Amino acid sequence: MSEPIASGPGAEGPVPVRFEVAGTDPEAAVRDLAGIYEGKQWLSRRTEGEYSYRYTAVGDSDVSMRRSTMSGFLRGASEPGDDLVMAWLTTGTSTPDTLRDRVPLRVGHPVLFPAHRDVVFVAADYDEQLVHLDRGLVREVAAEHFDVGDRDLRFDHLREADSLAVRNWRDSLGALARALREGGTDSLVWHEAKRQTVDAFLRVVPPQLDRLPAELLHPRQAKLRAAVEHVHAHAEEPVTVADLAQVAGLSVRSVQESFRRVFGVSPLTYLRQVRLDRVHDELLARDPRSVSVGQVATRWGFAHLGRFSAAYAERFGEYPKQTLRR
C-alpha cells in the first residue's frame, strides 16, 4: 500500500508529507482513503453507533507516520506501491490480507503489509498506526548491513518479531516524532532519525536473502543468474519457463539446458525446490496453534498434499508436521 507522491519538475530530495482527511459519510471515506492508496472496489458502511473516519500523515516521501481511525467497516483491494507499510492496531479489528494469509493484526504488534502482491483487506471500528517507508531508502540502508546486490528485497511479512526488535522499533519512532517536531523535514536530525527508523524496521523484518549457488557468480552465468534471481524473488507467484526466458534474454530451450547443466534439474523443478524451502522456513517460524501444514503448502502452490508431503520428506528428512511442531 503506498500513496503516490510526486516531487514536481525540478524538485530535489524527499517531498514533505502532511495532510488529513476526515468525515462522517461512508462514501466520502471510500473516496478519500481509496484515493490515498490508489485502491479499487473499496466499501465502507456503518456498524453500531455513529459513523466517522480520520486519516492523518506527517513526514516526507522517505518516511511518514500515519494514523487511520474509523467507527465503521472498511474493505478494499490494494496493489503494491512504492512504499513498504508497517501497521499495528491500537483498538478494533483489521486483517491485511483476506485472500491468502488471513492473519489478523494484533494490538501493539507491528506487521508488514504484504509487499509484492495484491491484497484485499477488511477492518472495523479500528484505530491503526502506520509507517510508510520508501523502498529506495530501505534498499539503501539494507545495503549497509546485508549483501543485497541488485536483487529485489524480499520480506517475510508473517515473521514473528522478537521483543527486543519491537522495542527498538518503538524507540526509533519516538525519536522520529521528536526529530520532526524539533527540526522539521529539512533538518539533519530528521535525516538521521529516518535512517535509524529504517534500520529498526530491518531488525523487525530482515530481508530474506537466498544464497545463490556459487556457479552463478561467474560473469559467464549472468543470464542464468537473472533467471534464478527471478525464481527466488517471485516464488510465491505463477512463474513459467517463458517468463524466465524473457528475464534472462534467452530462448526457452536455452533456459532449460542451462538449468540442467548447472543444477541438474529443470527450471520448474528448481522452482519447486525453492518453494519447498520457503514452506520449511515458514513452518519453522509459525505457531502450530494458528496455522496448518495444508494452509502453508497451499499458499506456496502445492495442491496435492500427499505428493507435497513426500517431496518435503525427501528434501528435509522429516515430514512437514514434524517441522511445524518443533
Side-chain angles (χ1 to χ4, degrees):
M1 301 172 68
S2 173
E3 178 198 1
I5 303 175
S7 59
E12 297 181 0
V15 180
V17 171
R18 182 178 292 273
F19 66 89
E20 174 179 342
V21 293
T24 56
D25 177 62
E27 291 186 6
V30 168
R31 183 177 61 249
D32 288 340
L33 300 177
I36 293 170
Y37 288 106
E38 295 189 322
K40 53 188 178 182
Q41 300 175 340
W42 282 40
L43 166 73
S44 189
R45 64 171 183 262
R46 291 174 171 80
T47 51
E48 296 179 359
E50 296 183 1
Y51 180 95
S52 65
Y53 70 96
R54 184 169 181 259
Y55 186 103
T56 61
V58 294
D60 64 22
S61 51
D62 279 343
V63 178
S64 58
M65 297 171 286
R66 307 182 180 211
R67 182 179 180 183
S68 181
T69 62
M70 177 177 288
S71 295
F73 172 84
L74 182 66
R75 185 194 71 210
S78 182
E79 301 176 354
D82 294 332
D83 295 345
L84 297 170
V85 181
M86 287 286 278
W88 62 100
L89 283 175
T90 303
T91 59
T93 62
S94 178
T95 301
D97 180 15
T98 62
L99 297 179
R100 296 185 61 175
D101 301 328
R102 302 182 182 88
V103 178
L105 294 182
R106 293 180 290 165
V107 172
H109 289 260
V111 170
L112 175 66
F113 271 72
H116 296 290
R117 55 180 166 81
D118 296 357
V119 298
V120 174
F121 70 91
V122 296
D125 299 322
Y126 64 87
D127 184 343
E128 188 174 34
Q129 307 284 333
L130 308 102
V131 176
H132 282 226
L133 306 166
D134 176 73
R135 289 177 187 261
L137 179 61
V138 172
R139 167 174 285 282
E140 182 181 321
V141 176
E144 298 171 358
H145 304 283
F146 306 95
D147 180 19
V148 300
D150 57 0
R151 285 171 283 175
D152 290 339
L153 291 184
R154 182 172 57 83
F155 300 94
D156 179 5
H157 60 278
L158 298 177
R159 184 181 189 273
E160 187 73 23
D162 64 68
S163 57
L164 180 60
V166 172
R167 192 179 313 124
N168 186 51
W169 166 253
R170 290 172 178 159
D171 289 345
S172 75
L173 294 181
L176 188 69
R178 288 193 298 273
L180 184 60
R181 281 196 313 268
E182 297 170 5
T185 58
D186 291 330
S187 66
L188 176 61
V189 68
W190 170 253
H191 171 82
E192 294 301 322
K194 286 192 301 185
R195 299 185 71 85
Q196 290 169 10
T197 297
V198 174
D199 181 79
F201 162 78
L202 293 169
R203 295 173 189 271
V204 176
V205 194
Q208 294 183 297
L209 302 172
D210 300 318
R211 292 186 177 181
L212 301 181
E215 297 92 332
L216 296 178
L217 299 179
H218 196 284
R220 288 180 300 181
Q221 301 291 0
K223 291 186 176 181
L224 177 59
R225 179 184 174 109
V228 171
E229 288 181 344
H230 186 83
V231 168
H232 285 266
H234 300 276
E236 65 175 324
E237 304 168 17
V239 176
T240 68
V241 179
D243 294 333
L244 301 181
Q246 183 176 8
V247 167
L250 297 169
S251 68
V252 167
R253 183 175 179 179
S254 294
V255 168
Q256 292 171 328
E257 291 175 347
S258 296
F259 269 84
R260 290 192 182 280
R261 183 181 68 252
V262 175
F263 304 119
V265 297
S266 70
L268 295 184
T269 297
Y270 185 90
L271 171 63
R272 187 183 68 168
Q273 292 173 348
V274 171
R275 287 174 173 166
L276 284 170
D277 292 343
R278 300 286 171 81
V279 171
H280 182 260
D281 291 344
E282 188 168 334
L283 291 177
L284 284 174
R286 300 293 295 274
D287 186 337
R289 294 170 297 181
S290 63
V291 73
S292 69
V293 168
Q295 288 173 322
V296 177
T298 300
R299 194 166 86 80
W300 287 102
F302 296 98
H304 193 293
L305 295 184
R307 293 173 189 163
F308 156 74
S309 185
Y312 185 97
E314 181 180 357
R315 186 161 180 80
F316 300 107
E318 65 180 13
Y319 289 102
K321 285 186 177 179
Q322 294 173 283
T323 306
L324 182 60
R325 292 170 180 166
R326 282 193 199 179

